[in-house]
Amino acid sequence: MARATFGIDGELVPLDSERDQNLLVAGQWVVKVANLAEAESTLELQVAALAHLAGADPTLPLPRLQRSADGEALVRWTPVGAAGAHLVRCVTYLPGRPLATVQRTVSVETDLGRVLGRLSAALQGFTHAGAHRPDFLWNLDLAQQCRPWLADVADPNDRALVERALDRHLRRVVPVLGQLRTAVVHHDANDYNVLVDGQPGAEHISGIIDFGDMLVAAQVNELAVALAYALLDVPDIVATARRTIGAYVAEFALAANELEVLFDLVVARLAMSVIISSHRSREFADNEYLLVTQAPALRLLRRLMGARPAFWHFVARDAAGLAPVPGSPGIVEWLGSPACQPGPVLHAPLAAADIVTVSLADGAPGMEFAADPVGYEAWLDEYRGQRVAIGLYDEDRNVYRGDQFTTDAPETRSVHIGIDLFVPVDTPVLAMLPGRVVSVVDNDMPYDYGPTVVLEHSAGDAGPFWCLYGHLSRRTLTTVGVGQVVAAGDVVGFVGDRTVNGGWSPHTHVQVMTDLLVGDDGVFSGNFEGAGEPSRMSIWHSLVPDANLLLRLPLSR
């Protein structure tokens, strides 16, 4: 058939596929025999898309159509004993190994984004009647249609994880789906449909194959689907995502509302993959290909669901070269403007003679007592005398030992993102601006905040921001309550001792937040990170700008 129809001849080698029967011919061409259940309009769509792309961007690493002797790209063939005529296509074979089988490198992660961005750009303006597939199983726009198959996920813990992922999609994506731009998208740049070639250190994407999942859907789905597989088992999700997203948007810009839901769509795609593969493997128990990515998909899903959704939104914006927190630049500008007139955080304003800075970085004076809180407290009291010792913002420290400082990153959260005011126990802490109490919580883990108060303030037209006071005394817990309105100068807490404040020398940690990073339930937990990972500080600086914008202490490093 290949010889008579397409003029090609040679050894036939079977290739894996979910729906078609694919055969490599002479190592140069791929003959794709379509499943009888495949709609002809879908195959016509693929042919039309490849023809369009060949003209729109001839250098894209995509299969090229091999037409029949009659000039047709899609022909009918009825094998002996077949139940009907199969539609058959032939395309050029692309060299390379599936992304799933190669070591991820910076060049590969970057080139993946670049090639996909070019693909999205080249598909702009392409339309086809066959691209409208409202009932297509893998349509990410319709992730919620997988819910009836949740019971097919055998492990109850996996099932609960996947259900939470669908719940995130329902809460964050479904309400805004109608506002996202749509386009014809490839929709399946998984790690077996992306090919990599080249020598070590110079690897590149050599092919994007299998256009069988093409359809009209949200434009952002293109990148979301690719990330769902590109991030599988990578050491650092944020680092890889930055490279791939950054390279993609350099070729094809994404809108703010697309970046907001990008990782929610990644989560939904992973959930779909687990559910659909579980369901179909029950129907076709002998097809191992159906479960090929389930275990790594579950691992990635756990990592992504382990962080709050807003954090991933800010990662996407950071990767795209935008301010990670959209409102942060306006808030920071207001805090530094004449419109912001904060009062002191202690009963009297602090002049230069009233303060002394102290470092908790490795090797700094006093750090010989880092493992001895009693010894450090004695050293600190002698060092500061009657002054207030100030622990600085943006200092990389080695004193954070609790499990809460270990994250998905390959490093711990070690960079301090507040300002510490070391003062005597029971020193009153004051609101610096009028506001409202949004949280009063005792975070009583070792190395944590102990009692903490969070106030919400207004930055005028820039919107709300929040101020956290940590390491307070338990007396604080009955001093203020959630919902209470406070004026500048009102007492909102008292400094605690090391037996209640997480184990630290008496001080209060003050930090400003431009977003509360609420959880999947939409509720603020009352706790907020006080340190960030060194490699992610561009995000933390946007989330937690320097508290000295409010404190206005005469500091110098």
Side-chain angles (χ1 to χ4, degrees), residues 359-376:
S359 174
L360 277 73
D362 191 21
M367 282 297 95
E368 62 269 27
F369 302 106
D372 175 12
V374 176
Y376 183 79

Side-chain angles (χ1 to χ4, degrees), residues 42 46 92 240 255 514:
T42 300
Q46 296 176 55
T92 54
T240 295
T514 59

Side-chain angles (χ1 to χ4, degrees), residues 231-463:
L231 299 177
L232 294 174
D233 291 333
V234 298
D236 187 344
I237 292 174
V238 171
T240 295
R242 274 176 170 157
R243 289 189 277 268
T244 303
I245 296 170
Y248 180 92
V249 300
E251 300 289 342
F252 185 80
L254 289 177
N257 64 346
E258 293 170 326
L259 291 166
E260 185 168 3
V261 298
L262 174 59
F263 275 95
D264 302 314
L265 291 166
V266 174
V267 162
R269 172 67 182 213
L270 291 165
M272 290 177 67
S273 178
V274 173
I275 294 171
I276 293 171
S277 62
S278 297
H279 178 73
R280 300 190 77 175
S281 68
R282 291 195 173 196
E283 293 183 291
F284 308 101
D286 60 340
N287 190 341
E288 296 180 0
Y289 180 77
L290 295 173
L291 294 174
V292 69
T293 61
Q294 185 166 108
L298 284 165
R299 288 194 292 270
L300 177 56
L301 195 53
R302 287 189 185 92
R303 296 171 74 185
L304 292 173
M305 293 299 292
R308 287 156 289 189
F311 176 78
W312 295 119
H313 170 207
F314 303 150
V315 168
R317 288 181 56 89
D318 186 53
L322 303 175
V325 182
S328 184
I331 292 168
V332 169
E333 181 179 3
W334 184 87
L335 288 171
S337 75
C340 178
Q341 295 291 328
V345 70
L346 303 177
H347 272 310
L350 295 173
D354 301 319
I355 64 174
V356 61
T357 59
V358 61
S359 174
L360 277 73
D362 191 21
M367 282 297 95
E368 62 269 27
F369 302 106
D372 175 12
V374 176
Y376 183 79
E377 193 169 327
W379 174 87
L380 181 62
D381 285 344
E382 181 178 355
Y383 172 76
R384 68 181 179 85
Q386 299 302 308
R387 298 170 296 181
V388 176
I390 307 297
L392 297 175
Y393 174 80
D394 206 27
E395 178 179 75
D396 200 347
R397 299 174 168 180
N398 68 341
V399 295
Y400 301 123
R401 298 184 181 88
D403 290 342
Q404 64 268 40
F405 297 101
T406 300
T407 70
D408 175 73
E411 60 199 347
T412 59
R413 291 191 293 106
S414 62
V415 180
H416 190 233
I417 51 177
I419 288 182
D420 292 329
L421 306 174
F422 290 90
V423 291
V425 171
D426 285 333
T427 298
V429 177
L430 313 181
M432 293 176 279
L433 290 169
R436 181 176 63 91
V437 180
V438 297
S439 173
V440 183
V441 174
D442 188 357
N443 301 291
D444 60 357
M445 292 177 60
Y447 300 102
D448 213 318
Y449 284 126
T452 307
V453 172
V454 177
L455 305 182
E456 180 180 295
H457 304 290
S458 172
D461 293 340

Side-chain angles (χ1 to χ4, degrees), residues 15-22 32-35 38 43 46 89 210 212:
L15 301 173
D16 287 334
S17 176
E18 182 186 8
R19 299 193 297 272
D20 298 338
Q21 183 175 12
N22 293 335
K32 302 174 71 69
V33 182
N35 192 299
E38 194 75 81
L43 300 176
Q46 296 176 55
R89 295 156 290 155
D210 191 351

Side-chain angles (χ1 to χ4, degrees), residues 140-212:
L140 183 50
D141 289 353
L142 306 177
Q144 295 298 319
Q145 71 183 359
C146 294
R147 276 192 188 270
W149 294 345
L150 269 169
D152 292 331
V153 181
D155 184 277
N157 293 324
D158 293 343
R159 191 184 317 127
L161 174 70
V162 170
E163 185 171 19
R164 282 202 303 120
L166 285 182
D167 289 345
R168 181 178 289 190
H169 175 268
L170 181 64
R171 181 171 63 86
R172 289 179 54 86
V173 178
V174 171
V176 300
L177 262 176
Q179 302 167 28
L180 302 176
R181 59 177 165 168
T182 59
V184 177
V185 288
H186 175 277
H187 212 251
D188 195 21
N190 72 57
D191 50 353
Y192 282 89
N193 286 341
V194 175
L195 304 178
V196 178
D197 204 5
Q199 298 299 315
E203 302 94 341
H204 63 277
I205 302 302
S206 59
I208 304 290
I209 61 174
D210 191 351
F211 283 65

